[in-house]
Amino acid sequence: PDGPACPMTTRSSPRIPGNRPQRCRQWLLSTAPQSRQQARLGRAYQAWLTFSDNRLALVGLGIIALLVAVAALAPLIAPFHPNSPELGQRLMAPSTPHWLGTDELGRDIFSRIIYGSRLTLYVVVLVAVIAAPVGILIGTVAGYAGGVIDLGLMRITDIFLAFPKLILALAFVSALGPGIENAIIAIAVTAWPPYARIARAETITIRNSDFIRAARLQGAGPIRLVWGHVMPLCLSSLIVRVTLDMAGIILTAAGLGFLGLGAQPPLPEWGAMISSGRKFMLDQWWVAAMPGVAIFVVSLGFNLLGDGLRDVLDPRAEDR
């Protein structure tokens, strides 16, 4: 049996005031766990200690948490409707009623940035959900099978890697047509090859391990070996790469929006907001600068978070 989650006191030990956190910490950091649950919680706690030692990673986590909170509470935070024009208040400078100013149609830029965070998360999450599974599946199959299958899948991957992501995304969006959904598909199609490369490299180092040979001797087939043993061991490296790629995904989506191939008006997409404000850069700089700052801050947050996760999830880290 797993036993209690964190035994603070027992009948044989006195209840010392103020000793509860220390006992729980000792239980989590025990070098000889008494149950699977204690071992899992101990590993999670040690990972959190490693992550929390990186102050910049905590800053990145705070930025992403703030982004999620802002996106979830957008109707409560935004003081104005993001798509309601007020022609009498066109191009107003930042002031008390409009904290970040207004655009060429009199719409509140702060409210549009708040609602634009929803589109940013929508794009990032869907691209990660589509691209990461495709990449890990192709990479693990190629690395485990080897031979002609590996050669064919990796040459297809090399073809996608030969083109810059934004150029390839532009080609796919031009073929599919402008729109946020087509932009997500185009970005996902260009994002999976690096994940396939990482998964293949991890699989090649794992496929000849002793536990894989033992599972094969017990009758496990290739599908079970890849799905149940190889893929889980590739997830840590993949999670780090996906987190670090979030900034690139945001910039690619903003680039497509800037060129008019992403989210269409009147959606408050940050790249499209920069595109509409570039005509006023000299006199009304805030129209394009404010969504640009939002892209910079969110991209920085994902990069800092990815660096912290790399320190935690890298199995070759010397300080683990």
Side-chain angles (χ1 to χ4, degrees):
D2 286 342
C6 184
M8 302 300 177
T9 59
T10 61
R11 293 182 180 180
S12 60
S13 62
R15 296 189 178 184
I16 304 174
N19 204 28
R20 185 183 182 95
Q22 182 179 0
R23 291 180 60 84
C24 189
R25 178 184 174 88
Q26 292 175 352
W27 184 79
L28 290 171
L29 297 178
S30 174
T31 57
Q34 301 299 317
S35 63
R36 292 187 298 271
Q37 183 181 12
Q38 183 180 359
R40 288 193 297 265
L41 294 176
R43 286 196 300 269
Y45 183 66
Q46 290 176 352
W48 168 250
L49 291 179
T50 303
F51 182 84
S52 60
D53 286 339
N54 190 338
R55 300 298 177 85
L56 292 178
L58 291 178
V59 172
L61 179 62
I63 292 174
I64 303 307
L66 180 62
L67 174 69
V68 174
V70 166
L73 302 176
L76 302 177
I77 299 175
F80 299 93
H81 192 279
N83 299 325
S84 296
E86 294 289 343
L87 298 181
Q89 299 181 356
R90 297 177 61 252
L91 302 175
M92 291 182 60
S95 59
T96 301
H98 301 283
W99 296 347
L100 301 182
T102 60
D103 61 7
E104 71 278 9
L105 297 178
R107 297 172 296 190
D108 183 64
I109 295 178
F110 176 72
S111 299
R112 289 179 62 78
I113 290 178
I114 293 298
Y115 275 89
S117 63
R118 290 185 164 185
L119 291 176
T120 299
L121 282 179
Y122 179 67
V123 172
V124 165
V125 171
L126 283 186
V127 169
V129 168
I130 295 173
V134 172
I136 192 173
L137 178 62
I138 292 176
T140 52
V141 170
Y144 184 82
V148 178
I149 296 177
D150 182 22
L151 182 64
L153 292 177
M154 287 301 102
R155 295 298 76 79
I156 295 174
T157 304
D158 290 338
I159 292 174
F160 280 89
L161 289 174
F163 296 92
K165 287 185 178 181
L166 182 57
I167 302 301
L168 193 58
L170 285 173
F172 279 107
V173 173
S174 299
L176 297 174
I180 187 67
E181 290 81 9
N182 292 339
I184 291 172
I185 295 174
I187 297 172
V189 168
T190 63
W192 67 265
Y195 308 147
R197 279 292 186 183
I198 293 175
R200 176 180 178 270
E202 296 282 349
T203 303
I204 290 176
T205 61
I206 294 171
R207 66 183 180 184
N208 293 324
S209 301
D210 292 338
F211 71 93
I212 294 293
R213 294 175 180 173
R216 190 182 294 116
L217 290 175
Q218 292 176 353
I223 296 178
R224 181 178 177 183
L225 288 173
V226 171
W227 180 262
H229 297 278
V230 177
M231 281 189 179
L233 294 177
C234 298
L235 287 179
S236 60
S237 300
L238 201 68
I239 290 172
V240 174
R241 180 58 191 258
V242 169
T243 307
L244 291 173
D245 281 352
M246 293 300 185
I249 293 172
I250 293 173
L251 292 176
T252 303
L256 294 177
F258 182 86
L259 297 174
L261 298 175
Q264 299 300 298
L267 291 178
E269 199 273 327
W270 293 344
M273 292 172 64
I274 296 176
S275 177
S276 64
R278 71 184 188 277
K279 302 186 293 292
F280 313 101
M281 282 294 296
L282 296 180
D283 297 325
Q284 290 83 23
W285 53 268
W286 57 87
V287 180
M290 296 306 177
V293 171
I295 293 174
F296 168 76
V297 172
V298 173
S299 300
L300 178 64
F302 275 114
N303 282 331
L304 295 178
L305 179 61
D307 288 337
L309 290 178
R310 180 171 53 193
D311 294 339
V312 173
L313 299 177
D314 185 5
R316 293 174 292 275
E318 295 180 358
D319 56 345
R320 287 293 298 274

